[in-house]
Amino acid sequence: MPNANTDNPSALSQVQHRAVSELLRVSPAADDLARRFQEAGFSLALVGGSVRDALLGRLGNDLDFTTDARPEDVLRIVRPWADAVWDVGIAFGTVGVQKDARVGDTVQRFQIEVTTYRSEAYDRTSRKPEVSYGDSIEEDLVRRDFTVNAMAVVLPEKEFIDPHHGLDDLAARVLRTPGTPEESFSDDPLRMMRAARFAAQLDFEVAPEVVAAMKEMAGRIEIVSAERVRDELNKLLLSAHPRKGLTLLVETGLAQYVLPELPALRLERDEHHRHKDVYDHTLIVLEQAIALEEDGPDLTLRLAALLHDIGKPRTRRFEQDGRVSFHHHEVVGAKMTKKRMTALKYSNELVKDVSRLVELHLRFHGYGTGEWTDSAVRRYVRDAGPLLERLHKLTRSDCTTRNKRKATALSRAYDGLEARIAQLQEQEQLDSIRPDLDGNQIMGILGVRPGPVVGKAYQHLLELRLENGPMEHDEAVAALKEWWSAQN
């Protein structure tokens, strides 16, 4: 294996070598499981993305299998063998398994899903697919999303099955559907988003007939639940080439249904071209933010980069002097971000963080070219809170000017701000700015019980702390008493 046709014997030899190497690595777990299915009278095959990734030399420890065994038989076979079993997907014919197996000198943990041969289709009035089981692996493969995911390796014999020429498409780096795109997308409209996601993950091209079907059927995505759409969008954004996938979503019209704020950024240029293409600027900012990531893909940062300017279309004004303005687009954008992310069922914490970054992304530009007071630095850090490092990256990424002198000046100004922050952090512990007196001290000094007045006093001392820096205890007590006297 593989035994598919190819015009390039050398390329096939490389594919064979990669696939065999990858399959040998996972054999201790995969072959052992396959033999158990054989002994029970069933067949088992590695399938879908696992085969694709083996051929690409990037197979991980998450393995997908398909079988003619029904879910109840799968459970009976795997329970004595697995370290853990879960059946949350059993309504769709999927059983999950965890197994630790020795690979060479190490013990590796494998996450396995075994799915009964099946076919599924969407009822136009329902968000849930109707699942029916099949009796052959060929029937199972034809219902898969793309040909590069419609290949299988029967175990333990290692027989390669590729009825839809997925290997040829893998070599050509193109995404096609096993049947017609219209049939595939009718079965599950989310596959249209998967086309964009795989283009972004694998850097593949999408076949013209698939793109045409996506354009024609884009509205069908509305039948898919917000949670499934969100999960596909996340995978796209966290991929190696998100711009490629996002561009496809916009060009096919899918984005109009799942993230309409993105195509809305394609503003008509005024006749004098006095403002940037906001859509193209946004994609550049996303790429520049990705380049600044240090510990792998950061969904919070990438979402903030993608959404940071979505308030511009609603705030665009043509001024009398010919300039174009977007006053307060960061405030409007933060509210729009919260609304869209909530509709896509993101967690409250992620909605809060991304909205906050969108709201703060212009803050740096409000302080001129470096004339930052200590008070301004403290407030910048306080307002960003734990998002400060992401705000640094987002603000730096937001500079897409081709004017090298202007870009250099902005970069130096931000370098100066970061240096000031570091200096003040060392002196004042900026990460945890608090008033110089706590609530208990305030109540003791003023002789009051818990209530709104304590909160007001606390806020007053916090403002003094932000404005003037740390105070000695006696100085803080005097300031509190002065404030209290003014209240009465």
Side-chain angles (χ1 to χ4, degrees), residues 302-443:
R302 294 189 183 197
L303 280 167
L306 181 66
L307 301 173
H308 78 284
D309 271 351
I310 62 171
K312 279 191 170 180
R314 291 190 184 180
T315 58
R316 183 170 65 157
R317 297 289 183 273
F318 295 99
E319 307 294 350
Q320 290 185 348
D321 61 4
R323 292 184 304 108
V324 179
S325 68
F326 304 95
H327 293 309
H328 306 301
H329 77 266
E330 73 280 12
V331 177
V332 173
K335 293 178 180 177
M336 293 173 64
T337 295
K338 182 177 180 180
K339 184 176 180 180
R340 175 55 51 198
M341 290 185 65
T342 300
L344 287 170
K345 308 295 185 182
Y346 280 99
S347 69
N348 291 337
E349 181 179 3
L350 190 57
V351 172
K352 179 181 176 182
D353 286 350
V354 175
S355 301
R356 187 63 166 157
L357 286 169
V358 171
E359 183 182 0
L360 293 175
H361 83 272
L362 281 187
R363 181 71 62 88
F364 164 70
H365 299 284
Y367 291 98
T369 56
E371 313 87 10
W372 287 70
T373 64
D374 286 352
S375 174
V377 174
R378 293 187 195 102
R379 293 176 189 278
Y380 191 82
V381 173
R382 189 273 306 268
D383 291 347
L387 298 171
L388 182 62
E389 289 303 316
R390 288 189 175 108
L391 183 58
H392 288 335
K393 293 181 175 71
L394 178 60
T395 303
R396 288 186 180 278
S397 302
D398 197 24
C399 176
T400 62
T401 179
R402 295 179 182 177
N403 184 322
K404 290 185 178 180
R405 181 182 297 178
K406 183 178 179 181
T408 300
L410 284 169
S411 180
R412 285 177 177 169
Y414 208 86
D415 287 343
L417 170 59
E418 288 202 56
R420 293 282 303 285
I421 290 173
Q423 182 182 18
L424 277 178
Q425 278 177 327
E426 187 175 341
Q427 295 171 358
E428 302 182 12
Q429 295 181 313
L430 285 189
D431 292 338
S432 55
I433 291 181
R434 294 182 178 84
D436 297 280
L437 300 172
D438 62 27
N440 289 327
Q441 290 172 310
I442 290 171
M443 288 187 289

Side-chain angles (χ1 to χ4, degrees), residues 193 196-197 200 232-239 242 245-246 249:
M193 284 195 69
R197 188 247 291 186
E232 278 301 321
L233 182 61
N234 287 349
K235 291 173 185 175
L236 189 161
L237 281 175
L238 293 172
S239 70
L246 292 168
L249 290 181

Side-chain angles (χ1 to χ4, degrees), residues 121-153:
Y122 264 70
D123 182 327
R124 287 184 177 270
T125 63
S126 172
R127 289 178 179 266
K128 296 182 179 180
E130 299 173 347
V131 177
S132 60
Y133 299 130
D135 296 312
S136 72
I137 193 167
E138 289 77 15
E139 184 182 359
D140 182 81
L141 293 178
V142 75
R143 59 152 287 276
R144 296 195 172 254
D145 50 10
F146 302 104
T147 60
V148 296
N149 296 329
M151 299 178 281
V153 178

Side-chain angles (χ1 to χ4, degrees), residues 4 10 15 44 50-51 95 153 211 231 249 292 305 307 320 325 334 337 389 408 420 455 458-459 461-462:
S10 175
V15 167
L44 187 74
S50 292
V51 176
V95 174
V153 178
V211 174
D231 291 346
L249 290 181
L292 294 177
L307 301 173
Q320 290 185 348
S325 68
T337 295
E389 289 303 316
T408 300
R420 293 282 303 285
Y458 187 93
Q459 189 61 39
L461 291 175
L462 178 59

Side-chain angles (χ1 to χ4, degrees), residues 284-306:
I284 294 172
V285 171
L286 174 59
E287 290 179 320
Q288 293 185 166
I290 290 170
L292 294 177
E293 291 174 339
E294 297 164 321
D295 300 312
D298 182 343
L299 182 61
T300 304
L301 177 64
R302 294 189 183 197
L303 280 167
L306 181 66

